[in-house]
Amino acid sequence: MSSFRILSIDGGGIRGIYTAALIDRIAKEVPDLLEQTVFFAGTSTGAMLAMGLAYGIPPVETIELFRAFGKEVLEGSLVIKVGQVLGAKYDILNLRKILTPYFGAATLNDYLTDRGKFVLAPTFDLDGVIDDVRTWKPKFFHNFPGTDSDAGEMVVNVILRSSAIPVYFPSFQGYVGGSVVARNPAMAALAQALNQESGKQQLEDIRLLSFGTGYYPRYVGSREQDWGLGRWSWPFISLMLDGEMGVNHYQCMQILGPERYHRLAPILGEPIGLDDADAIPDLIQFAEEVDIEPTVEWINQFFLNSDSGQNSTSDSGQEAPESIGIKIHASEFVRPLND
């Protein structure tokens, strides 16, 4: 049986380092995991991680990328913007500074086509057009072929659009972060894979591995809530985001079943904010304590089967075009700055 393998990564701000550490552990147990994955989907900083993995950045390098995100974007931006009440909390251009050394001016098509990899990143277009009507709308950037392909878009710009979460960051190029529509992008990835113009996959051929960014359970204890705007305003955003992630998980499980779909979204030992850079050591420690054996077993039994590699055209030691500034070697990852 041939499989179309999808890896989906939730949005979660700095908690993406928790997911990066989990994937690093799993990839050491299953060395072929990322090589045999065809389609990488990610939202917000999950898009940063998904793009990096699709481009061949080793998982351990993505952990360092998140360390830079914490230091240069969250901590650095806050110093600059302290006292600013009405504007966004952080400067998104600082995120561009740490992404450029990795991706340069690469587009979604550069290098990925040669590697046989596809990517998807949800965003929200603040001023789009649907049937000649001007309106805001969800936008899913991807590099699949077809009339709606975004293969010519710069990787860095797509990541910034997907990461521009309101309040935390200003909008970027007319877009805000994909978490407002698909913090868990698994269902969007499944729909794109099944699209008969672009993905062209059969349902029975799809294998979908989904990663959360650590979940801390919340609840409202009272049975009856006669609350107004003032009392609902605090829990409402968390309620909507957690609910959306749960809906996507439910839909994927119902459509694909446990042999074709698996999600790893462990419970965190404590609540950690999306911008809590000081929690990086704790997040890595929490990731080290997660039991990954059930996920490793599922990957070996269902995600990678006897026909592994049939859909992948990548080759270890293959070099990217010089214009991208990225090279893949067996022992190192070179990411020179693109001038």
Side-chain angles (χ1 to χ4, degrees):
M1 181 183 296
S2 175
S3 293
F4 185 81
R5 302 173 187 87
I6 306 172
L7 193 152
S8 173
I9 304 171
D10 290 7
I14 195 60
R15 296 210 308 255
I17 198 170
Y18 174 82
T19 312
L22 282 174
I23 292 175
D24 182 49
R25 288 184 61 203
I26 293 170
K28 289 173 181 175
E29 295 288 328
V30 190
D32 289 340
L33 170 63
L34 300 176
E35 194 69 19
Q36 305 304 338
T37 298
V38 178
F39 183 14
F40 295 80
T43 299
S44 188
T45 54
M48 180 170 72
L49 179 53
M51 295 285 184
L53 296 175
Y55 267 76
I57 299 177
V60 68
E61 280 277 341
T62 66
I63 294 174
E64 297 309 310
L65 180 56
F66 274 98
R67 289 187 191 276
F69 173 69
K71 181 178 180 180
E72 303 296 333
V73 180
L74 301 181
E75 294 178 355
S77 298
L78 191 58
V79 172
I80 296 172
K81 306 197 77 172
V82 66
Q84 182 172 337
V85 178
L86 297 179
K89 197 172 181 180
Y90 304 106
D91 186 353
I92 200 167
L93 295 183
N94 283 355
L95 179 55
R96 170 184 266 172
K97 291 177 183 177
I98 69 168
L99 292 174
T100 300
Y102 286 84
F103 299 105
T107 67
L108 297 186
N109 200 42
D110 290 333
Y111 192 39
L112 289 173
T113 299
D114 291 338
R115 284 173 54 81
K117 305 297 185 183
F118 298 97
V119 292
L120 178 140
T123 63
F124 194 82
D125 187 350
L126 294 175
D127 188 6
V129 177
I130 299 179
D131 296 330
D132 297 325
V133 177
R134 188 176 179 183
T135 181
W136 59 18
K137 64 183 180 68
K139 166 64 179 174
F140 298 87
F141 285 93
H142 66 85
N143 67 327
F144 283 92
T147 57
D148 67 340
S149 178
D150 305 292
E153 294 283 349
M154 285 181 58
V155 173
V156 171
N157 287 344
V158 171
I159 294 173
L160 294 177
R161 293 165 187 164
S162 188
S163 301
I165 300 301
V167 179
Y168 291 100
F169 293 108
S171 62
F172 184 76
Q173 297 178 341
Y175 296 86
V176 294
S179 288
V180 302
V181 291
R183 185 174 174 186
N184 174 352
M187 190 63 193
L190 176 57
Q192 192 69 55
L194 293 172
N195 183 281
Q196 291 306 301
E197 182 184 4
S198 56
K200 300 180 180 180
Q201 299 302 310
Q202 299 299 314
L203 187 63
E204 60 270 19
D205 291 334
I206 291 176
R207 302 293 182 272
L208 175 52
L209 175 59
S210 174
F211 285 94
T213 58
Y215 176 70
Y216 189 77
R218 305 170 188 265
Y219 62 91
V220 177
S222 175
R223 287 297 209 178
E224 297 182 7
Q225 305 301 334
D226 186 14
W227 290 358
L229 178 61
R231 297 191 69 183
W232 270 118
S233 60
W234 176 79
F236 186 72
I237 294 177
S238 295
L239 183 150
M240 294 296 291
L241 291 175
D242 288 348
E244 179 270 330
M245 289 191 294
V247 167
N248 280 281
H249 171 62
Y250 173 82
Q251 291 171 332
C252 288
M253 180 60 77
Q254 296 304 310
I255 292 171
L256 294 172
E259 294 187 359
R260 288 179 286 166
Y261 169 75
H262 178 84
R263 178 166 170 83
L264 180 60
I267 293 177
L268 290 175
E270 61 186 63
I272 295 177
L274 304 182
D275 61 342
D276 189 355
D278 292 336
I280 286 177
D282 292 333
L283 287 165
I284 292 177
Q285 180 61 37
F286 291 152
E288 290 295 324
E289 296 171 354
V290 172
D291 180 10
I292 62 171
E293 282 309 307
T295 299
V296 170
E297 290 177 5
W298 182 87
I299 291 170
N300 284 324
Q301 184 174 0
F302 299 112
F303 197 76
L304 302 178
N305 55 34
S306 59
D307 291 329
S308 288
Q310 181 170 324
N311 290 299
S312 176
T313 59
S314 59
D315 180 24
S316 60
Q318 177 185 1
E319 295 190 355
E322 292 182 2
S323 60
I324 301 178
I326 298 176
K327 292 184 177 180
I328 301 297
H329 298 286
S331 60
E332 64 178 336
F333 180 76
V334 183
R335 53 194 201 301
L337 194 61
N338 188 318
D339 297 328

